[in-house]
Amino acid sequence: MRVKVSGRNLEVTDALKESVISKLERFGKYFKEDVEAQVTLSVEKNRQIVEITIPINGTILRAEESTDDMYASIDKTIDKLYRQMEKHKTKLEKRYHGHDTIRFENIPNVVNDKEDKYKIVKTKRFAIKPMDPEEAILQMDLLGHNFFVFTNAETDEVNVVYKRKDGNYGLIEPYF
């Protein structure tokens, strides 16, 4: 597995690069040699952010973590990526019985079966009234939710506003 390390708002030191590469080398036994992991280290205010993306056969394993220490962010991201690989392994084993780029025999079976079963426990129905995105954000904040579905008054399309991890807001405008 190849590892590309880049920095955003940060000069990537040799120590950081070596830390990331040494931790990702352990993942090399799970992938074929042509797989490339892309690691982005960035700093925003006092947050040290690590993003790791590994594309494999049309699937993307991606993990992102932020703490106030870059090395802690690296460790947390690696742990999150490992859990994603375990879930992906279980999913593919059930579907294809092990025909993919991941060598499953090296990944221990730690995934809980309850995590693989998605169960809808509640259904809500509500009227969608036309409004602009700013009003939808106000409604979302009043309700204390992380997202809000509404009809955009300008386009007459269903949109979603959501609160991002960085405290800002996002707008999803689907098209058909």
Side-chain angles (χ1 to χ4, degrees):
M1 179 167 74
R2 297 184 314 267
V3 179
K4 282 180 57 179
V5 181
S6 61
R8 188 181 314 137
N9 301 331
L10 167 77
E11 181 70 32
V12 179
T13 64
D14 290 338
L16 279 173
K17 192 172 189 174
E18 286 301 317
S19 175
V20 169
I21 291 173
S22 68
K23 290 181 188 290
L24 281 175
E25 279 178 348
R26 292 183 286 166
F27 286 89
K29 63 184 176 184
Y30 305 131
F31 300 104
K32 293 184 178 176
E33 295 171 7
D34 62 338
V35 174
E36 180 178 272
Q38 297 173 345
V39 181
T40 305
L41 310 174
S42 60
V43 177
E44 291 179 7
K45 295 186 181 177
N46 61 348
R47 294 178 14 190
Q48 312 286 317
I49 304 165
V50 177
E51 302 171 32
I52 301 175
T53 306
I54 304 174
I56 51 166
N57 282 4
T59 302
I60 296 177
L61 298 176
R62 184 179 184 284
E64 177 180 344
E65 276 296 327
S66 66
T67 64
D68 57 351
D69 177 42
M70 185 62 78
Y71 292 99
S73 295
I74 292 169
D75 290 339
K76 284 185 173 188
T77 309
I78 294 289
D79 291 343
K80 189 182 269 188
L81 190 64
Y82 192 73
R83 287 190 303 274
Q84 282 185 12
M85 285 178 46
E86 290 170 342
K87 284 184 179 184
H88 186 67
K89 171 197 171 194
T90 305
K91 176 181 164 185
L92 289 176
E93 278 182 334
K94 287 180 180 178
R95 186 183 301 159
Y96 301 115
H97 305 290
H99 302 292
D100 205 294
T101 58
I102 294 181
R103 290 186 236 147
F104 296 121
E105 67 272 5
N106 296 325
I107 302 175
N109 286 323
V110 183
V111 177
N112 190 350
D113 287 339
K114 292 178 183 174
E115 292 178 355
D116 290 336
K117 298 178 183 168
Y118 299 105
K119 183 178 179 183
I120 297 173
V121 295
K122 186 175 183 179
T123 301
K124 282 188 173 183
R125 294 184 184 272
F126 58 94
I128 299 177
K129 82 171 205 175
M131 59 180 75
D132 61 8
E134 289 78 20
E135 185 180 349
I137 291 171
L138 291 173
Q139 289 289 326
M140 177 181 65
D141 287 340
L142 285 173
L143 293 171
H145 291 171
N146 294 330
F147 68 93
F148 189 78
V149 180
F150 68 101
T151 301
N152 192 324
E154 294 175 11
T155 62
D156 204 33
E157 298 283 333
V158 175
N159 289 179
V160 178
V161 291
Y162 63 96
K163 188 156 184 110
R164 296 172 44 91
K165 286 182 184 177
D166 62 6
N168 293 316
Y169 297 95
L171 174 66
I172 299 174
E173 297 177 318
Y175 62 91
F176 303 98

